[in-house]
Amino acid sequence: MQGLMASRIQLVLKRGFSASTSFPQNIQFTRNHAKVVLQPGSVSVDGTLGPVESVVADSVLRMRVGPSAHASQSIGDVTGIEIAKTNGWNSPDAPLVNIEWEGYGQSEGDELYHTVWHNISGITPLSLPFPARVRKVNPTAKSNPDRLDFEMDECSNRGWIVEVEANAADALPHLLDVNRY
């Protein structure tokens, strides 16, 4: 069984990191629209992403996580960030972060294109489909959440809220490169 698991992980690794050459390889996504940026040193011993085949099932990945540009289109201006309180590891799909936001919504209109707008606000949870532990919080997320920029998926140093760690065997099957996202 152990050998089967190792070969399955190897297959996922080879398939999961086949990003296009114009998009950074270390930026991945989840189906629930989280942008995941693998941090240097989390995959290979020498501090680079290196050959994907060097990842073993019990490797720990360090990742910076924030909403993807697609997810950010459904929220308004960020007004606050609340980090979920956990005692260690977050369960799969449990919120890591709640993003508080406000914006405008269209409430009615007529045939002459007169539109009435109203204020709306909400809370959008950010979660991962695998267990993860929050290791670090972006200082900008705490002090100036309105300055976070989620619009550019190809920028690895922007738009992250928390840095987490997760087991490679748990995380890699859920990560999608830009072509599969």
Side-chain angles (χ1 to χ4, degrees):
M1 181 66 180
Q2 189 73 345
L4 178 63
M5 180 62 161
S7 64
R8 183 178 181 281
I9 294 298
Q10 205 71 324
L11 175 66
V12 169
L13 293 174
K14 288 179 182 175
R15 189 184 50 178
F17 286 95
S18 60
S20 71
T21 56
S22 62
F23 200 87
Q25 181 183 6
N26 67 325
I27 299 176
Q28 303 284 302
F29 301 92
T30 64
R31 293 199 189 286
N32 60 349
H33 306 294
K35 173 180 151 183
V36 175
V37 181
L38 293 167
Q39 293 302 291
S42 65
V43 175
S44 66
V45 178
D46 67 356
T48 65
L49 285 176
V52 176
E53 292 81 8
S54 67
V55 178
V56 292
D58 61 352
S59 293
V60 174
L61 302 177
R62 285 186 312 115
M63 304 166 253
R64 289 187 171 174
V65 181
S68 68
H70 176 80
S72 73
Q73 293 172 3
S74 65
I75 61 175
D77 297 328
V78 176
T79 59
I81 301 288
E82 180 186 335
I83 309 300
K85 303 219 182 318
T86 62
N87 295 329
W89 292 86
N90 256 33
S91 300
D93 299 316
L96 292 168
V97 173
N98 286 317
I99 303 169
E100 301 167 9
W101 57 270
E102 59 185 33
Y104 297 100
Q106 184 177 355
S107 59
E108 58 186 77
D110 61 24
E111 66 278 353
L112 296 174
Y113 305 105
H114 295 107
T115 303
V116 178
W117 297 89
H118 65 280
N119 292 335
I120 57 174
S121 61
I123 296 175
T124 300
L126 178 66
S127 62
L128 293 172
F130 48 85
R133 178 173 33 194
V134 175
R135 303 301 293 166
K136 182 178 175 181
V137 177
N138 185 340
T140 303
K142 288 196 229 175
S143 61
N144 296 313
D146 58 325
R147 295 183 143 217
L148 293 172
D149 180 9
F150 306 122
E151 296 298 319
M152 298 180 64
D153 278 338
E154 65 276 5
C155 291
S156 60
N157 61 346
R158 294 176 135 178
W160 67 278
I161 298 174
V162 291
E163 185 171 290
V164 302
E165 68 180 23
N167 186 294
D170 295 332
L172 289 173
H174 297 283
L175 297 180
L176 308 170
D177 64 24
V178 69
N179 296 322
R180 293 188 314 152
Y181 178 61

